[in-house]
Amino acid sequence: ETGAENYTNKLRTEKIIRYMYENFDKKLTLGMLAKEAGLSVPYFTATFKSITSVSPIDYLISVRIGKAKELLSSGSNVQTAAERCGFSDIFYFSRQFKKRENMTPTEFIQYAQKKYV
């Protein structure tokens, strides 16, 4: 990979990260993200991972969990936070949340309430 290719891929990746933050609440697929980047799915996935060290979907889930934490700590319930952050399955949301935060969304709400009291 040349320096120019590397720079272009970095810009593409930054564009997709911005896109994720702007559209985290919508249904996004790997195919849609690759198309937005103007790349094939395998090349997009490899490029994204080489720049961020995580897969595009893992990155998107982390963005969504971050947004969910904001909602949960400001009074949203688990179901509402999950839906507003693009998770159609509350059980999947809870599993991903626990995997990343080492606590369930409900435990996080309790933790956040104690923290801000």
Side-chain angles (χ1 to χ4, degrees):
E1 207 168 74
T2 67
E5 278 178 316
N6 197 31
Y7 181 71
T8 302
N9 288 337
K10 194 171 182 329
L11 290 178
R12 275 194 184 117
T13 301
E14 288 169 1
K15 175 188 170 201
I16 294 304
I17 289 170
R18 270 194 312 279
Y19 184 81
M20 286 178 183
Y21 275 97
E22 290 162 8
N23 298 283
F24 68 90
D25 56 335
K26 297 176 180 70
K27 181 173 175 23
L28 297 177
T29 64
L30 193 53
M32 291 161 75
L33 295 172
K35 188 176 180 189
E36 189 67 27
L39 299 170
S40 70
V41 171
Y43 188 74
F44 167 68
T45 303
T47 302
F48 192 96
K49 193 166 185 167
S50 77
I51 291 168
T52 64
S53 305
V54 293
S55 75
I57 296 303
D58 258 356
Y59 197 98
L60 176 61
I61 291 169
S62 294
V63 169
R64 288 175 167 171
I65 296 292
K67 297 293 183 180
K69 285 170 64 180
E70 291 172 20
L71 291 170
L72 294 170
S73 53
S74 62
S76 278
N77 67 35
V78 177
Q79 180 80 41
T80 304
E83 287 169 2
R84 289 187 53 202
C85 293
F87 290 96
S88 54
D89 179 343
I90 191 169
F91 300 106
Y92 179 71
F93 166 70
S94 295
R95 272 196 319 275
Q96 292 299 321
F97 193 99
K98 185 165 174 67
K99 182 176 151 187
R100 287 168 166 72
E101 300 301 320
N102 294 318
M103 62 176 84
T104 66
T106 306
E107 289 166 343
F108 179 81
I109 291 170
Q110 293 161 349
Y111 165 78
Q113 286 169 344
K114 282 187 197 120
K115 196 169 125 182
Y116 298 115
V117 170

